[in-house]
Amino acid sequence: MKKSKKILLLVSLVAMLAVILTGCAAYKTGANAAPKGGFFGLIYQFIGIPIRNIMLATENAIGGSNGAGWAIAIITAVIRFVLLPLMLSSSKKSTIQQEKVSRLQDQFKLIQDALKDRSLTPDKQMQISQLQQKVYRENNLSITGGIGCLPLIVQFPFMIGIYQAVAYSDALYKSSFFGVSLGKPSLLFAIVGALFYLAQSLLMLRGVSEQQRAAMQSTIFISPLMTLFISMSTPGALGLYFLVGGIIALIQQVIVTYIILPRAKAKIDAELKEKPMKVVVTKEIIDNIIGNGSDNSVNSSDSTSSTEEELRKRNAGKQKRENK
């Protein structure tokens, strides 16, 4: 459930960005056909024009035929480094969420296995489904936590602004960066940018459990494909934006994988020694809902206690395997 929601949200964001950029392109009949009003007009007035002026000033300061490209690279780097603390904070929260959720997989598996029973009535299906929400709630976890889409949303206006700055300026539209046009789609920028995001996605798989890796493998190509699709559909300026952004994203992932992730694991392990994850779902509880269990009310306390002890042992065993 949670995994499908993540994929749906990411796909929705990609579709939103594609529609926005298509809308931008619809305004363009020439290098000077800038939007006059509406949503795109506001973006152009408050973001596109300032970025255009900064790019032109930077290009003049740098000089040479590649000045406009260097201006885009510098502006992109500044934007991404300003957002870096937010991105790292989002990555840290996501990492902690994923680590804690991984310790609850035994309970989630009981729920998933129970829901496969086609003989369940709608009422029983609902009761079992609600147990998943209870597992999250009792362990102080958010069902939607750790998705980390805020940094991408914050970047949307700047993506549009860079697009508009180049598309609606004669000087920038005709510029190039090492021979690659900034006013026309660039296959080179699209491929190289996608490769950087693919490297970032593959690096995300390092340091996580096999179970987490299997769950993440279906989403690692979303970001590279999004970069490839958008870069091939828009001017080279935006492709360059994604390329430079991909380099910084890879640096960010190195920090997450080799610094944040080990620290988060150590912190969670220390916390769980003092306060293990709460056992909300047991086979006895599932059986009682389905109607296959005997009267377990007398033994429910003992069952929960023994299950918690078993969970402690599993967590300890998992930690020993990871340390090896």
Side-chain angles (χ1 to χ4, degrees):
M1 175 82 80
K2 183 173 182 287
K3 177 181 170 184
S4 61
K5 285 183 178 180
K6 282 187 177 183
I7 296 175
L8 179 60
L9 182 54
L10 287 170
V11 171
S12 299
L13 288 172
V14 173
M16 183 191 303
L17 182 56
V19 169
I20 289 174
L21 292 175
T22 302
C24 289
Y27 281 106
K28 185 182 179 303
T29 57
N32 294 316
K36 301 298 183 181
F39 173 77
F40 297 111
L42 289 174
I43 294 291
Y44 180 63
Q45 180 179 355
F46 293 104
I47 298 179
I49 292 177
I51 287 180
R52 181 197 66 189
N53 294 336
I54 293 172
M55 287 172 62
L56 289 172
T58 306
E59 179 186 19
N60 292 332
I62 295 174
S65 59
N66 300 317
W70 285 118
I72 293 174
I74 291 171
I75 291 172
T76 301
V78 170
I79 293 172
R80 293 300 296 259
F81 277 118
V82 167
L83 292 175
L84 190 59
L86 175 62
M87 292 178 174
L88 289 176
S89 175
S90 177
S91 296
K92 182 178 180 180
K93 291 177 181 178
S94 176
T95 299
I96 292 175
Q97 171 92 358
Q98 290 172 4
E99 277 299 305
K100 288 187 175 181
V101 168
S102 69
R103 314 298 172 96
L104 298 168
Q105 287 304 313
D106 290 339
Q107 298 185 57
F108 291 139
K109 189 174 186 306
L110 287 172
I111 295 172
Q112 292 165 3
D113 290 344
L115 290 174
K116 292 178 182 178
D117 186 350
R118 296 184 179 181
S119 65
L120 291 177
T121 64
D123 181 61
K124 290 181 178 180
Q125 288 180 344
M126 181 175 294
Q127 289 183 56
I128 294 174
S129 296
Q130 288 175 344
L131 287 176
Q132 180 166 297
Q133 299 178 13
K134 188 175 180 181
V135 173
Y136 279 100
R137 185 173 62 252
E138 292 294 323
N139 287 283
N140 297 318
L141 295 173
S142 172
I143 293 180
T144 59
I147 295 180
C149 295
L150 181 59
L152 180 60
I153 294 174
V154 172
Q155 289 182 72
F156 274 5
F158 295 102
M159 294 180 194
I160 301 170
I162 288 176
Y163 174 98
Q164 292 177 332
V166 174
Y168 308 132
S169 167
D170 281 327
L172 295 174
Y173 184 77
K174 296 176 182 178
S175 298
S176 62
F177 189 57
F178 292 102
V180 180
S181 173
L182 297 178
K184 299 177 181 179
S186 167
L187 181 62
L188 177 63
F189 286 165
I191 293 175
V192 175
L195 287 176
F196 274 112
Y197 279 102
L198 178 60
Q200 181 214 14
S201 298
L202 293 174
L203 189 57
M204 289 174 63
L205 299 180
R206 294 182 62 87
V208 300
S209 65
E210 291 185 7
Q211 196 169 31
Q212 286 177 286
R213 190 178 296 114
M216 294 168 63
Q217 282 178 344
S218 61
T219 61
I220 63 173
F221 294 107
I222 291 179
S223 183
L225 289 176
M226 178 187 76
T227 301
L228 186 66
F229 170 74
I230 296 175
S231 298
M232 291 180 63
S233 308
T234 55
L238 201 58
L240 182 57
Y241 172 89
F242 279 109
L243 192 159
V244 177
I247 295 173
I248 298 173
L250 184 58
I251 295 173
Q252 171 194 332
Q253 192 58 49
V254 169
I255 296 173
V256 171
T257 300
Y258 296 105
I259 298 177
I260 292 180
L261 182 57
R263 290 181 179 178
K265 284 185 175 182
K267 180 180 179 182
I268 292 171
D269 288 333
E271 289 178 355
L272 294 183
K273 286 181 181 179
E274 299 295 328
K275 187 179 179 182
M277 305 296 283
K278 291 185 179 179
V279 178
V280 178
V281 180
T282 63
K283 191 175 185 306
E284 288 77 10
I285 292 175
I286 295 290
D287 287 342
N288 281 336
I289 294 176
I290 295 176
N292 295 336
S294 56
D295 186 5
N296 295 300
S297 59
V298 176
N299 299 320
S300 61
S301 177
D302 293 339
S303 173
T304 301
S305 177
S306 62
T307 308
E308 288 180 349
E309 182 63 28
E310 181 182 354
L311 186 60
R312 289 192 186 95
K313 291 179 180 178
R314 289 182 182 178
N315 287 335
K318 180 179 179 182
Q319 179 61 24
K320 288 180 180 178
R321 290 193 298 272
E322 290 178 350
N323 291 335
K324 289 180 180 179

